[in-house]
Amino acid sequence: MSPILGIVFEDLSQYKIFAAPLSVIEDLLLTSGFAVGALIVFAIIGLVVGFIYSSFVRRNPFSAFVPTVRSFFLGFGEILVLLLRLLPFFIVVFVPLFAFSGALGRIGEINRFGINDRNSSQVGAMLWFFWGVALLACWFIWPSLRRVRAIAKLSFIEALRGRILYVFVLFFIPFLFAGWYLDKTPEAVLLNLCGFVNAAMTYILMPLVIFMASMSLPNEIQARIVQTVVTKPVRRSEIVLGRSLGYIAVFTLVLLGMGSVSLLYIYSQLDEQQRSTLWVARRPVFSNAPVPEVVADFQKQGAGTAFLQHPELFSLMFNQNGKWNMIATNVGKEWSYRYHIGGQANHSAHYGFRFDPKVLATRKNQRGEDCHVLQMEFDVFKMTKGDPTREEGKDAEESGVRCLIEVRDRGRDSGDGAKAPTEAQVHRINHQRVTEMLVPTRIFDNKFIEVVIKCTTRSQFVGMARGDLYLLAKDGDFAVNFFKGLATIWLKMVLVVCVAVSASTVLKGFVTVLFASAVYVLGLFYFFMWNVAAGALGTVKGGGPIESFIRLATQLNQVSPLDDSNWLIRFFLHVDQALLGLMKLMTFLVPDLSKLDVAQYVAHGVDVPGVLILRNVVIVTAYVIPVMVVGYFFLRNRELAA
Amino acid sequence: MNASRKRKITYLLIILVLFTTQVFVGDRLHQEAKAERLAQENLGKVDPISGTAQLVCFGFRGVAVTFLWNDVMDLNRRERWFEIKPVLNSITLLQPNFHSPWQYQAWNMAYNIANAWEAVKDQYYWISEGTKFMKEACAKNQGVSDLEWYTGFLYFNRFSVHDNHKFFRERFKKEFAEHKDPDFTANERGRGDPFINAYEWFRSANASVVESGKPPKRMGITPFLSHPAKALTTFAEYLGKEGTFGVDAREAWNQAYNEWLKFGRGLGVARKDGVSERDQFVHRLEYDAAEWEKLSDETKYWIDRYGNIVRYSYWKRRVKAEGTPAMEGAREAFYFAEKAREDGDYDLAITKYEEGFPKFRSVFEVPKFSQLRDDMPIQDDAADWERNYIRVLTNLNRKLPERRPFQGVFRSMSDDSPDADLGAPSSPNPNRPASQKSAGPVQNGTPSPAPKKP
């Protein structure tokens, strides 16, 4: 489903919070495509609606047809010119983001539009060339944006001077007492601390953002201060843009301050041992390529090369009794994210990794060899009680199942018959505990390895998914990662500021506050709203608002059919369908804020992928541009300097 | 003075009057609430954060809690266990005096989440988390007998019925000895045993019932009140299972017996005059002979009926028998016999079995304990010891006794069974070697002669 202004994209990250998107490049490409498509669709709809509005609603269509339509297209042209003037700045910001996120280095994975692994370096060079041209263009365009800069500066100073910012002092109060209530167990301490600071920042910042951004323009209009601006040769688009930028700048500074305090707080709450293990941002490298036997099997079945466009989907395959499959045994769990292989049965799981091992972290093993680190966290499902792997007399805590883990070099051409280098170890696997294996670096020389898992404990099952086994790249810094995680709150703040400023061009102050709050809250519950509005396709049963009320009042459950013979109930159900239609329309207009959440990565000590932030930036940009255009048109049609 | 100023002064005066009135009225209301035990401090520990959180919800507490419950179920489904606890804390922060969330989530942690983990230490951790969660519930809801009872039940059930209960008990004792996690392991008696913790919570629950005069909701009052005695009985039983005998064991059985008597005497609750036994708040089950004779038939009927709910007579008899020197000696002998058998020291095992058999039989020759011959657990234990003894003899190719050690003692192990007479040639015994000749009947534990060398 692709709403006009919001973007919905189902990805693996909703299942395992630190599983990589389907393909980092595919993800970004698809999102960007949706964004551009959404903007084009918006522009077309805007043109049609604006044309009709100008022609028939505002004036007598026959006598004023040409001037009003001309006025509308002039406005549209003004927006286009402004966007074109801002385009070099977008390029100057996005290309470095694109490069630092790591996406530029993997641009060859696109395999379309003529871009592939062979010419990826040329494509990268071309992007940097465009960046240089854009930088030069910015130099020339900069003076022409002086009015936008002036209004942004005014908004910035006005916000700083407002005593309402003192409310941020409240931010520090919870920190005085939070330590008494937060769970300090090793498994949960970082989760709880990060969850607490994120909640504190969000609950203090967002209401203030909504209030300040919503009240500013209406107050100025009411006090007629805005006349001192609109009587100058300042375009309406520059007023909307400048005001938004000013508030974004203020709240960005505030967020940075709150983030710094939060980081210091987290650091102070951890003890020495916790800091040594948790003060890190792990960078997992997940499997991304099917093993050659899987490719051969698909080709033998005539599956075609379509599946190779998404190799990540087949990077974990199960082999049961000689047959390859994407799924294995389902042990009956409610959440079927993992599939299980049986112990001492002819079952195995195969992960394929194809990448440059230079990014991987290195450690020495007991033999003094340089090794890369393989980590895994599997599910253990026991069919029998007791622990057959525990040695007699040993502590009961040494429970678990045994697994044989083989890492094979699949990049080596074995035409000469020589056996490919392999490292095989038997490890005790405990349920949801991380097991680590050191693999000598020589296995990675040919940049394509296969990891084979077999359970050697009879009558037990081991469950795994793609995100459960990974190689560790060099660790990132927790502090840097924490600030990357703040992107969640920053992007939400940018979105809310733009919505509030745009809405304030037509609505009164407190109405704008309500409107912006509603958009924000609905955005947080977007998934729920969509599931209700989707009716039979959604997961929330029980109908719309009226049907739910009837069920609540009559204490009926959500799935029993209502009494259709009652004409009143039939009538209300029809009204309810209309309300559901309205909700469906809302899902097209309200942004899905849950998609922007990357704070979970930080809470779990995993590095936030740069490309994920880039994707979220694309989503927010694609949303705020139409919002601000709508705000511009409302402000343009408003009599401010009468 | 202009009109605006006059208005402002008027409003200020009205505010002051209303505020002052509200202070007095509010205080009066608070005193009445305290008298009726409805004030917040009567309910339990006062938590300012909880109060603030409820106020901040502006009446949307129910909505907030609904979404939090959804979160918990979603985290449960996705096995994100460690993220559940903060959400549970939020739910109970908003609804501290709702009993069901506390109980349900404690059960969820101690049973469902614990069993989702495979390592013993992880299961133990979640059982302790669930139990501590219930303790917090009791702190915030003082005097609620059902919550106190359930806390005791978690200690009682999780450390006795679970497949890994032996490992849990070892870990509990180890943590107690090392003063780790005192919130979970400590108790008033200073004993490192979860059944003592269970006993103290059950006793507290009983006190809450008696003090409040309100019956418990989860079960009838008679079985509810019997749990302290059950906890002490299980404690004494496990002492024997884990090899503690002598003074400690006898003392434990005596305490259990006294607790049963205390329960039988109605916990000292005064009887209501003019009310039938059926309608009494707490039922008295223990009477001496003289008192019993004076009771009406109807009263005797109801006493028997309530007593049978908890098998009061049986437990009194059983606990008394277990505390006798003969039974204690027998169990001690069989404990070491089983241990020797598992260690492969068969000679010692045989000696200990043969030491235990006569002691065990002598218990049932006492008239007041003879009814225990019909008790299934005792019969099961006896059957195990007897079978293992015969198995050991067979392994050593020793002569089997003519009669089983407990033959004729227990009704279900009757003389009509095929292997009743182990020495008779007409009775095929699959355990008996073909070359062994009959040496005549064995009497009461006489050691069997060693087989002759070929």
Side-chain angles (χ1 to χ4, degrees), chain A residues 14 181 185 187 191-192 333-335 379 382 385 390 396-397 399-400 430-433 600 604, chain B residues 47 49 67 77-83 85-86 89 116-122 125 163 167 171:
Chain A
Q14 69 171 300
Y181 299 95
T185 53
E187 294 86 357
L191 271 172
N192 291 333
K333 291 200 173 191
E334 191 184 350
W335 187 42
D379 180 81
K382 283 194 161 170
K385 297 173 192 173
R390 188 167 59 90
E397 294 177 4
S399 41
N430 285 110
H431 180 70
Q432 291 198 6
R433 294 264 180 220
Q600 291 274 13
H604 284 82
Chain B
D47 188 352
I49 303 282
F67 280 106
R77 190 173 65 90
R78 295 190 186 182
E79 301 184 6
R80 285 158 71 164
W81 311 122
F82 290 100
E83 293 169 62
K85 197 69 196 308
N89 288 340
W117 288 84
E118 168 269 333
V120 166
K121 63 181 175 184
D122 295 324
Y125 170 80
D163 292 336
F167 304 127
R171 193 180 176 96

Side-chain angles (χ1 to χ4, degrees), chain A residues 38 42 48 72 91 103 155 201 342 378 452 454 459 465 496 499 603 627:
Chain A
F42 169 76
V48 170
F72 171 77
I91 295 173
S155 304
M201 283 192 283
F378 294 150
V452 184
K454 286 179 189 165
S459 301
V496 167
V499 166
V627 162

